[in-house]
Amino acid sequence: MNKIIIPLLLAALLQAGLVSYPLRITVQRGDTVEFTPMIKGWNRNLTGVSVSHSSPSHGSIIVLSGFFTTQKYVINHKYFSYDTARYCPRNFPGFRYVASPGFTGIDTFSFKIRTATDSTMLTKCEIRVYPPDPGHNTVLIVVNSALLSSISSEVTRLKIDLESEGFTGKIVSFPDHADYNDTAAARELWDTLSTEYSKADKFMAGAILIGNIPFAKDLRGVYKDVYFWSMSAWLNPLEKDTANPVIGSRVMQDNKGKGLYLRSVPNVWVSRISGKSQLVNFGAESDIVKSILQNNHDYRTGTSRLPSTALYYNLRSLAEKNMDNKRLLNIWPSLYVRPRTDSSVSPLYRELRVGGDVWDLSCHAGNGTEYRSYESNANGYAWFFRVNVNDLARSHVQVRAIIAQNCHSAVPEKLAASTMMSRNNHCVLIASSGDYAQESGELSPTDTSRWPGTVEFNEYLKQGDRWGRAWQRSNMSLWGTIFYGDLSLRPNMTPHNSIPIISGFTAEKKGIRNWQFSSNAIDSDGTIQLYEWFPNGYDFGKAVPVASSVSASSINYTFNSSALCTLRVEVEDNYKARDFLEVIFSPDTGIVKILSPFLSTGTLSYEKENNKTAQSTFHINPNPFTSNTKVIWLGESGIDGLSIFNLYGQSIRKLTVYNKSPNNSFEFAWDGRDNLGRRVSEGVYFCRIDSKGKNIYGKIILSR
């Protein structure tokens, strides 16, 4: 039998004496739930505490004495601490509810709490025991009224998809408010959710908010969606009363002296789909939302498939990471861990391109504008990677769910929301923080005492729970978390699909600014269904390809001017997974710089003259290597040299031939050092052969 610990928060008017408030508890059939009453006026030195209660009709109640003194909610991290001395009163009671076997429905009981000097009024508690998802539980689709007409077909399809899985879908038009900071509108939204939750004949799973839907703010003005997860009462005004707080929840004290912050009951889940970005112009709001909903539909129906891999990055010790990895491998069949020392940073870094079902990411977020990972050192900072929203817009973001513990990344219309908006995006869910990263629970933290519910959360996902229900059941940290996407989805909804790989690219000059481009691609478990060419730039996905078809592996194109441009080719397999190659290209001379290198060993070449040369190849062995490797060139004479480049396109080492055979075999050796003799960090590098005006590229992997 599963057990859930639920702390409760209720908004209250200022009142004198000992006051308790009506409670709404939500528990899945078969679970046990522990919770506390919500009491204002409690003093931790109160004595003579006793609890009387009625018996529920469909379950049993056990009174728990000294609920908080059991240290169930110990919190201590960089920005916030749990003030046990002040806010963890002695003798504070709690309850454990166990529903009768097989019962589904609404149960109630009443209670009164007495002390030596005071008592509460008789207080009602309503407990909703719901069936596991989908169980015909309602998912409310709340759409901004100004947007609804333009996306009605896609919203209706989402409703149909939900109902085909066993949910009950319901579309609600919400009045358009120009400012998502409108406090009154936030309360109006809560009322809308509460009305649906209160219906006796339906159980509400959660809500998907689409378009410009208001946010709530805490007393510091920080955006919080946690208020919409609690259906007991509108919680937002309660935080303003810091002198006499309601007891019955984890209470956080800002160590910067800015006040108290309170957690709420997770009765339902709430996630958002946004079509506006302050960082990049992705296009019209309606078009972006349509694209996100199309991606949602493709994932639900299996039309779109990615690798069934968990991706992981966290700035912590190796021992901690190993513990995290075990938890992730309980849910996902394979795991990719970015090395903590990996400074070979591509602007379009590996995780977003190779794809996966989830990315557990903990790093900095640059005030909501970029994901970045670094540590302080004697020289300032050691950067591991930094990726801004422009980089994300050029990527396909081939990760289904991103659990990002990053400061400020979930601020409205900033990094988290924008991550879902790029062309051919595959992301369906992002969980991140609207304020400090510590407010957003990790998917697999090592220190589970800091984030109660983590073990249960992972177990529920393993059992097949939807993302939202797993968060709601486990009461994992929701305090600062904002969710973009759709929490009615679950991990591993589709079979594994390997992404296609571009294995070769050729640019052959035919005339004045006229070029013949060709690309080769492979797909280990499917077929290549589409080639797309963007010779004049991608424009964050808004550019229209000059060629787009299964047969467009080669095109002829004439540029209008000699200006440098960003040339891009993309391939797509039979399950919509993609790979791409992007270079800075001169219409007069050819490739200037590689922007997005090959994911696997590939060759890239171009001809400066209007004639082809003999077929040439090279071999790299060993590859990957740890200390020394050889590059062997088999081809025509006239080698001008070999250069090693990092992923930024910077030349770090020039090599000369150290062995030549009579049959035009040229051999180079690289010891993993740069031109100054310094050992370079492990990662991906590229070698370039220069021969008679032709450049051939190969990929080298250094693994220390």
Side-chain angles (χ1 to χ4, degrees), residues 18 39-47 49 86 88-92 115 117 244 247:
L18 207 59
I39 303 176
K40 194 175 185 67
W42 190 274
N43 185 310
R44 72 187 310 266
N45 297 317
L46 289 174
T47 59
V49 177
R86 180 179 179 187
C88 197
R90 298 184 185 95
N91 304 319
F92 198 84
T115 70
T117 58
N244 186 25
I247 300 298

Side-chain angles (χ1 to χ4, degrees), residues 405-422:
Q405 194 188 34
N406 310 117
C407 296
H408 310 291
S409 59
V411 172
E413 301 181 3
K414 291 295 184 69
L415 184 60
S418 301
T419 301
M420 301 185 69
M421 297 182 188
S422 61

Side-chain angles (χ1 to χ4, degrees), residues 603-670:
T603 59
L604 182 153
S605 66
Y606 68 88
E607 304 282 356
K608 289 186 178 180
E609 304 298 332
N610 190 19
N611 65 298
K612 294 185 177 180
T613 58
Q615 179 68 29
S616 305
T617 61
F618 65 84
H619 302 281
I620 304 170
N621 187 44
N623 191 21
F625 77 103
T626 56
S627 57
N628 292 277
T629 189
K630 293 181 181 180
V631 180
I632 302 174
W633 167 254
L634 304 173
E636 67 273 8
S637 59
I639 296 296
D640 299 323
L642 183 144
S643 299
I644 306 294
F645 295 84
N646 63 20
L647 290 179
Y648 289 113
Q650 300 166 325
S651 176
I652 63 167
R653 184 73 180 271
K654 292 187 180 295
L655 301 174
T656 56
V657 177
Y658 83 90
N659 188 19
K660 177 183 177 182
S661 68
N663 63 346
N664 289 330
S665 172
F666 300 83
E667 193 169 312
F668 301 82
W670 185 37

